[in-house]
Amino acid sequence: MKRRDFITLLGGVATSSLVLSARPSDAQPAMPVIGFLHSASLEPNAKRLEGFRRGLQAGGLVEGKNVAIEFRWAAGQNASLPQLAAELVAKPVSIIATLSSTPATMAAKAATSTIPIFFLIAEDPVELGLVASLNRPGGNVTGITSQNTELVAIRLGLLRELAPQAPNIAALVNRANPNAKPVAATLEGAAALLGVQLKVMEASTDSEIEAAYASLKGGVPLLIGTDPSFFARRAMLVALGAKYSVPAMYDNREAAAVGGLMSYGQNTESSWEQAGTYVSRILKGAKPAELPVMRPTKFEFVINLTAARKLGLDVPAAIQARADEVIE
């Protein structure tokens, strides 16, 4: 081989080696993708979503800059959740967040045993089979639970205080939600502890919900079960309460803000923000199996006195004094 040819060949090999060795270091790391799965729609959850984004930002993640979010909203059609979950798994996403939607959490859990899942639910995740224990989840799932049993007992107690002469208290649950039976059992257990007679009503469509309200006679107090479709229908539920003179207790402040009588529960926007900070931790390497299931950090009791007056109710001063917020 001539010297010139040898030098040319050697230069080509060196250049190729430089190109090959440069590729890994020059390549930009893939932006992590959060799969967001929910059984309702964006509009009623827009404010809560702002909290989630604040939590991500507190953890150093900004949507569109160093993290992406793929949204899948079922718009009240829970039957579509398995397909939506499968779409996120197939993309694939780096983590699936299912906030304030137990049906979405169950669909995500069924869709993957490897992609991390972060939930925000009211029920006991151990009883639902989501985690092995609260302190050591042990799999690909962790999150936040409000342990609804305690909250339900408080809500029932407040309703009894407000209407001590009522013969019984009613509760509304969504039969289309897979947690309907556990929720009903929780409600009945809490009622038994308080010595309150409870009538559990199941409804999932607009017509069924109105029929449930219409069946309540004599101002029977009503506890609205925790369910994303009830949250999305909060304005409708408030209107039905006014139409049929039903004093109702909700699990979210937003319902009281649009005219509902009372609410007691976690500050959900704050909990979504809390979720954002923990999702960022998982995306940075923390393992769901080792992250204990958390509790919400803020709870609030809200009374709407305008709604009380429309229902002809006198809210005792002792109850008002315990409220975090009184809406005039």
Side-chain angles (χ1 to χ4, degrees), residues 95-108:
I95 187 172
I96 300 176
T98 60
L99 308 185
S100 300
S101 178
T102 302
T105 302
M106 302 305 289

mmCIF file with all atom_site columns, all heavy atoms in Angstrom, residues 95-108:
data_model
loop_
_atom_site.group_PDB
_atom_site.id
_atom_site.type_symbol
_atom_site.label_atom_id
_atom_site.label_alt_id
_atom_site.label_comp_id
_atom_site.label_asym_id
_atom_site.label_entity_id
_atom_site.label_seq_id
_atom_site.pdbx_PDB_ins_code
_atom_site.Cartn_x
_atom_site.Cartn_y
_atom_site.Cartn_z
_atom_site.occupancy
_atom_site.B_iso_or_equiv
_atom_site.pdbx_formal_charge
_atom_site.auth_seq_id
_atom_site.auth_comp_id
_atom_site.auth_asym_id
_atom_site.auth_atom_id
_atom_site.pdbx_PDB_model_num
ATOM 1  N N   . ILE A 1 95  ? -44.094 7.858  33.882 1.00 0.00 ? 95  ILE A N   1
ATOM 2  C CA  . ILE A 1 95  ? -44.898 7.663  35.080 1.00 0.00 ? 95  ILE A CA  1
ATOM 3  C C   . ILE A 1 95  ? -46.341 7.951  34.720 1.00 0.00 ? 95  ILE A C   1
ATOM 4  O O   . ILE A 1 95  ? -46.608 8.713  33.781 1.00 0.00 ? 95  ILE A O   1
ATOM 5  C CB  . ILE A 1 95  ? -44.420 8.595  36.226 1.00 0.00 ? 95  ILE A CB  1
ATOM 6  C CG1 . ILE A 1 95  ? -45.137 8.271  37.540 1.00 0.00 ? 95  ILE A CG1 1
ATOM 7  C CG2 . ILE A 1 95  ? -44.603 10.056 35.862 1.00 0.00 ? 95  ILE A CG2 1
ATOM 8  C CD1 . ILE A 1 95  ? -44.569 9.016  38.752 1.00 0.00 ? 95  ILE A CD1 1
ATOM 9  N N   . ILE A 1 96  ? -47.292 7.347  35.432 1.00 0.00 ? 96  ILE A N   1
ATOM 10 C CA  . ILE A 1 96  ? -48.711 7.634  35.238 1.00 0.00 ? 96  ILE A CA  1
ATOM 11 C C   . ILE A 1 96  ? -49.246 8.252  36.519 1.00 0.00 ? 96  ILE A C   1
ATOM 12 O O   . ILE A 1 96  ? -49.099 7.682  37.600 1.00 0.00 ? 96  ILE A O   1
ATOM 13 C CB  . ILE A 1 96  ? -49.515 6.370  34.877 1.00 0.00 ? 96  ILE A CB  1
ATOM 14 C CG1 . ILE A 1 96  ? -48.992 5.755  33.583 1.00 0.00 ? 96  ILE A CG1 1
ATOM 15 C CG2 . ILE A 1 96  ? -51.009 6.700  34.738 1.00 0.00 ? 96  ILE A CG2 1
ATOM 16 C CD1 . ILE A 1 96  ? -49.679 4.444  33.196 1.00 0.00 ? 96  ILE A CD1 1
ATOM 17 N N   . ALA A 1 97  ? -49.866 9.428  36.409 1.00 0.00 ? 97  ALA A N   1
ATOM 18 C CA  . ALA A 1 97  ? -50.477 10.111 37.549 1.00 0.00 ? 97  ALA A CA  1
ATOM 19 C C   . ALA A 1 97  ? -51.998 9.990  37.442 1.00 0.00 ? 97  ALA A C   1
ATOM 20 O O   . ALA A 1 97  ? -52.572 10.302 36.401 1.00 0.00 ? 97  ALA A O   1
ATOM 21 C CB  . ALA A 1 97  ? -50.062 11.576 37.582 1.00 0.00 ? 97  ALA A CB  1
ATOM 22 N N   . THR A 1 98  ? -52.627 9.523  38.515 1.00 0.00 ? 98  THR A N   1
ATOM 23 C CA  . THR A 1 98  ? -54.082 9.369  38.543 1.00 0.00 ? 98  THR A CA  1
ATOM 24 C C   . THR A 1 98  ? -54.589 10.077 39.794 1.00 0.00 ? 98  THR A C   1
ATOM 25 O O   . THR A 1 98  ? -54.639 9.489  40.869 1.00 0.00 ? 98  THR A O   1
ATOM 26 C CB  . THR A 1 98  ? -54.484 7.879  38.562 1.00 0.00 ? 98  THR A CB  1
ATOM 27 O OG1 . THR A 1 98  ? -53.934 7.263  39.740 1.00 0.00 ? 98  THR A OG1 1
ATOM 28 C CG2 . THR A 1 98  ? -53.949 7.154  37.346 1.00 0.00 ? 98  THR A CG2 1
ATOM 29 N N   . LEU A 1 99  ? -54.952 11.344 39.651 1.00 0.00 ? 99  LEU A N   1
ATOM 30 C CA  . LEU A 1 99  ? -55.277 12.176 40.808 1.00 0.00 ? 99  LEU A CA  1
ATOM 31 C C   . LEU A 1 99  ? -56.783 12.368 40.941 1.00 0.00 ? 99  LEU A C   1
ATOM 32 O O   . LEU A 1 99  ? -57.458 12.745 39.981 1.00 0.00 ? 99  LEU A O   1
ATOM 33 C CB  . LEU A 1 99  ? -54.584 13.537 40.677 1.00 0.00 ? 99  LEU A CB  1
ATOM 34 C CG  . LEU A 1 99  ? -53.078 13.497 40.400 1.00 0.00 ? 99  LEU A CG  1
ATOM 35 C CD1 . LEU A 1 99  ? -52.491 14.903 40.421 1.00 0.00 ? 99  LEU A CD1 1
ATOM 36 C CD2 . LEU A 1 99  ? -52.347 12.601 41.396 1.00 0.00 ? 99  LEU A CD2 1
ATOM 37 N N   . SER A 1 100 ? -57.285 12.091 42.146 1.00 0.00 ? 100 SER A N   1
ATOM 38 C CA  . SER A 1 100 ? -58.719 12.230 42.438 1.00 0.00 ? 100 SER A CA  1
ATOM 39 C C   . SER A 1 100 ? -59.561 11.393 41.486 1.00 0.00 ? 100 SER A C   1
ATOM 40 O O   . SER A 1 100 ? -60.618 11.816 41.034 1.00 0.00 ? 100 SER A O   1
ATOM 41 C CB  . SER A 1 100 ? -59.143 13.704 42.374 1.00 0.00 ? 100 SER A CB  1
ATOM 42 O OG  . SER A 1 100 ? -58.442 14.473 43.303 1.00 0.00 ? 100 SER A OG  1
ATOM 43 N N   . SER A 1 101 ? -59.112 10.194 41.182 1.00 0.00 ? 101 SER A N   1
ATOM 44 C CA  . SER A 1 101 ? -59.849 9.306  40.286 1.00 0.00 ? 101 SER A CA  1
ATOM 45 C C   . SER A 1 101 ? -59.456 7.860  40.571 1.00 0.00 ? 101 SER A C   1
ATOM 46 O O   . SER A 1 101 ? -58.523 7.326  39.978 1.00 0.00 ? 101 SER A O   1
ATOM 47 C CB  . SER A 1 101 ? -59.566 9.652  38.817 1.00 0.00 ? 101 SER A CB  1
ATOM 48 O OG  . SER A 1 101 ? -60.245 8.766  37.958 1.00 0.00 ? 101 SER A OG  1
ATOM 49 N N   . THR A 1 102 ? -60.190 7.231  41.488 1.00 0.00 ? 102 THR A N   1
ATOM 50 C CA  . THR A 1 102 ? -59.931 5.821  41.792 1.00 0.00 ? 102 THR A CA  1
ATOM 51 C C   . THR A 1 102 ? -60.119 4.923  40.577 1.00 0.00 ? 102 THR A C   1
ATOM 52 O O   . THR A 1 102 ? -59.316 4.014  40.350 1.00 0.00 ? 102 THR A O   1
ATOM 53 C CB  . THR A 1 102 ? -60.818 5.351  42.959 1.00 0.00 ? 102 THR A CB  1
ATOM 54 O OG1 . THR A 1 102 ? -60.558 6.180  44.093 1.00 0.00 ? 102 THR A OG1 1
ATOM 55 C CG2 . THR A 1 102 ? -60.530 3.907  43.333 1.00 0.00 ? 102 THR A CG2 1
ATOM 56 N N   . PRO A 1 103 ? -61.157 5.142  39.736 1.00 0.00 ? 103 PRO A N   1
ATOM 57 C CA  . PRO A 1 103 ? -61.285 4.305  38.535 1.00 0.00 ? 103 PRO A CA  1
ATOM 58 C C   . PRO A 1 103 ? -60.053 4.370  37.633 1.00 0.00 ? 103 PRO A C   1
ATOM 59 O O   . PRO A 1 103 ? -59.627 3.351  37.071 1.00 0.00 ? 103 PRO A O   1
ATOM 60 C CB  . PRO A 1 103 ? -62.525 4.874  37.837 1.00 0.00 ? 103 PRO A CB  1
ATOM 61 C CG  . PRO A 1 103 ? -63.326 5.485  38.930 1.00 0.00 ? 103 PRO A CG  1
ATOM 62 C CD  . PRO A 1 103 ? -62.317 6.052  39.884 1.00 0.00 ? 103 PRO A CD  1
ATOM 63 N N   . ALA A 1 104 ? -59.474 5.570  37.484 1.00 0.00 ? 104 ALA A N   1
ATOM 64 C CA  . ALA A 1 104 ? -58.271 5.707  36.660 1.00 0.00 ? 104 ALA A CA  1
ATOM 65 C C   . ALA A 1 104 ? -57.095 4.975  37.300 1.00 0.00 ? 104 ALA A C   1
ATOM 66 O O   . ALA A 1 104 ? -56.283 4.350  36.607 1.00 0.00 ? 104 ALA A O   1
ATOM 67 C CB  . ALA A 1 104 ? -57.934 7.180  36.462 1.00 0.00 ? 104 ALA A CB  1
ATOM 68 N N   . THR A 1 105 ? -56.996 5.047  38.616 1.00 0.00 ? 105 THR A N   1
ATOM 69 C CA  . THR A 1 105 ? -55.914 4.356  39.317 1.00 0.00 ? 105 THR A CA  1
ATOM 70 C C   . THR A 1 105 ? -56.003 2.847  39.091 1.00 0.00 ? 105 THR A C   1
ATOM 71 O O   . THR A 1 105 ? -54.988 2.190  38.810 1.00 0.00 ? 105 THR A O   1
ATOM 72 C CB  . THR A 1 105 ? -55.966 4.651  40.826 1.00 0.00 ? 105 THR A CB  1
ATOM 73 O OG1 . THR A 1 105 ? -55.888 6.060  41.034 1.00 0.00 ? 105 THR A OG1 1
ATOM 74 C CG2 . THR A 1 105 ? -54.825 3.976  41.559 1.00 0.00 ? 105 THR A CG2 1
ATOM 75 N N   . MET A 1 106 ? -57.201 2.292  39.208 1.00 0.00 ? 106 MET A N   1
ATOM 76 C CA  . MET A 1 106 ? -57.378 0.855  39.018 1.00 0.00 ? 106 MET A CA  1
ATOM 77 C C   . MET A 1 106 ? -57.065 0.449  37.579 1.00 0.00 ? 106 MET A C   1
ATOM 78 O O   . MET A 1 106 ? -56.474 -0.602 37.338 1.00 0.00 ? 106 MET A O   1
ATOM 79 C CB  . MET A 1 106 ? -58.801 0.450  39.389 1.00 0.00 ? 106 MET A CB  1
ATOM 80 C CG  . MET A 1 106 ? -59.196 0.793  40.834 1.00 0.00 ? 106 MET A CG  1
ATOM 81 S SD  . MET A 1 106 ? -58.079 0.126  42.084 1.00 0.00 ? 106 MET A SD  1
ATOM 82 C CE  . MET A 1 106 ? -58.473 -1.631 41.963 1.00 0.00 ? 106 MET A CE  1
ATOM 83 N N   . ALA A 1 107 ? -57.435 1.288  36.619 1.00 0.00 ? 107 ALA A N   1
ATOM 84 C CA  . ALA A 1 107 ? -57.147 0.995  35.215 1.00 0.00 ? 107 ALA A CA  1
ATOM 85 C C   . ALA A 1 107 ? -55.648 1.021  34.951 1.00 0.00 ? 107 ALA A C   1
ATOM 86 O O   . ALA A 1 107 ? -55.111 0.172  34.227 1.00 0.00 ? 107 ALA A O   1
ATOM 87 C CB  . ALA A 1 107 ? -57.863 1.993  34.313 1.00 0.00 ? 107 ALA A CB  1
ATOM 88 N N   . ALA A 1 108 ? -54.953 2.004  35.538 1.00 0.00 ? 108 ALA A N   1
ATOM 89 C CA  . ALA A 1 108 ? -53.503 2.089  35.359 1.00 0.00 ? 108 ALA A CA  1
ATOM 90 C C   . ALA A 1 108 ? -52.803 0.891  35.988 1.00 0.00 ? 108 ALA A C   1
ATOM 91 O O   . ALA A 1 108 ? -51.886 0.308  35.401 1.00 0.00 ? 108 ALA A O   1
ATOM 92 C CB  . ALA A 1 108 ? -52.980 3.394  35.962 1.00 0.00 ? 108 ALA A CB  1
#
